[in-house]
Amino acid sequence: MAFQMSTLSARIRLITSGGPLSRSRGDFSNDSVGFSVKLRNIFSATQPKRQVHSLFRTGIAERVDNFSTATVLKSFKGQNYGRACREKSGTVYRIAIGAFGVTTAVACLHASAQVAMAEAHLNLDSVKSNWNKVKETLLSMGLEDRRKHYRSSFLALKDIPVWNQERGAAAVKPHFPRNEALDNKISLFSGDITKLEVDGIVNAANKTLLGGGGVDGAIHRTAGPLLKCECAELDGCDTGQAKITGGYGLPAKYVIHTVGPIVMGAVGEEERSRLRECYWNSLDCATSEGLRSVAFPCISTGVYGYPPEQAVDVALKTVREYLNDHDHSLDRVIFCVFLPSDYELYKNNLPYYFPGDVPVKSKL
Ligand code: AR6
């Protein structure tokens, strides 16, 4: 117990005295859930949770015992005034330390109660959970803590190469001038969008926002049932519009739901405009919520029947135009393709919209 007490005190001193752990202090004051989670991590390195609780209780009792008024009076019984003064000041010091200990212990008890409350909100598998609280708690967590709640494997943003690094497509006559900074904000990724650890992934949803097949089904499956609970309160979504929710069990913090146009027969101006709105409004939705990295699937090109070889131009042109106007608002836009044929389409068309430093060749 003595060892546990000294470990605990040393850790509390580190937090309060500007040691390495004190860097997190700003987070603590802003965010009590974050504080709780971080505090739990500090303690759990040496203390099982039950021991920590009893440690706090014992800590308060011991300090109150050690610095009771009886102790103070005792120090004035001595004959030597100087000695009494020294003992008195020592006692005052100990009282101050004791008071600090009690305050800290009370704060710790409060924090551990909050940890328990936060964890109680974190059942991602039950529709009985309060989605609002779960969302809030997940978003307030640091990355390492949030990763414990992912319902799938993940790919970190730093491991998704930017387009510039994997260039190699044929040189073409670009539709836009080269902008090296923008080239470095683009990725072409082939795989499952539900694995991407980015700020937001875009869902090719339907107007109900209550889930479906394709990428919509995959996103809802990985996020868990609370995503549908939140979606149910959004009152649907019109074609071309976008609405944002939490990501729940997804590695992505947020999901931006947009509804692509349904193509029956040939693509007309109406369908083109609606598809453009999907990309533009999704990016607008992301930046207005402060998201810095966003991944898109090939909206409307599955069940909704938009020909992929026409959709690719709308997707790339809209993202390029958005980045021209908002280059400081986003760090990365990822085109997430699922089919090998879509990968080829994007690879061949990206140089028209994000041209690199390559010799010019006409598309015709
Ligand atoms: N990750 C990335 N892309 C995917 C994934 C995935 N896990 N799964 C499919 N895709 P679709 P739509 C690609 O049909 O055409 C739903 O039922 C897929 O290869 O998902 O906009 C909704 O509820 C294709 O390239 O969306 C709507 O009712 C792209 O995602 C309707 O489908 C879009 O295909 C929306 O149809």
Side-chain angles (χ1 to χ4, degrees), residues 274-339:
R274 294 292 91 78
L275 187 61
R276 177 184 167 78
E277 282 171 11
C278 286
Y279 284 92
W280 190 277
N281 290 332
S282 294
L283 290 172
D284 243 1
C285 194
T287 54
S288 56
E289 291 290 325
L291 278 58
R292 308 275 324 167
S293 52
V294 179
F296 281 100
C298 306
I299 301 166
S300 270
T301 62
V303 174
Y304 279 3
Y306 205 115
E309 59 285 356
Q310 295 181 44
V312 64
D313 279 311
V314 178
L316 293 173
K317 184 167 187 271
T318 311
V319 169
R320 169 68 202 235
E321 287 174 353
Y322 193 90
L323 286 176
N324 280 349
D325 294 352
H326 307 81
D327 61 328
H328 295 300
S329 309
L330 285 159
D331 297 328
R332 192 84 71 89
V333 177
I334 298 157
F335 295 102
C336 177
V337 295
F338 206 53
L339 305 172

Side-chain angles (χ1 to χ4, degrees), residues 189-200:
F189 172 77
S190 182
D192 185 352
I193 203 167
T194 67
K195 310 275 186 219
L196 302 183
E197 190 183 58
V198 289
D199 286 347

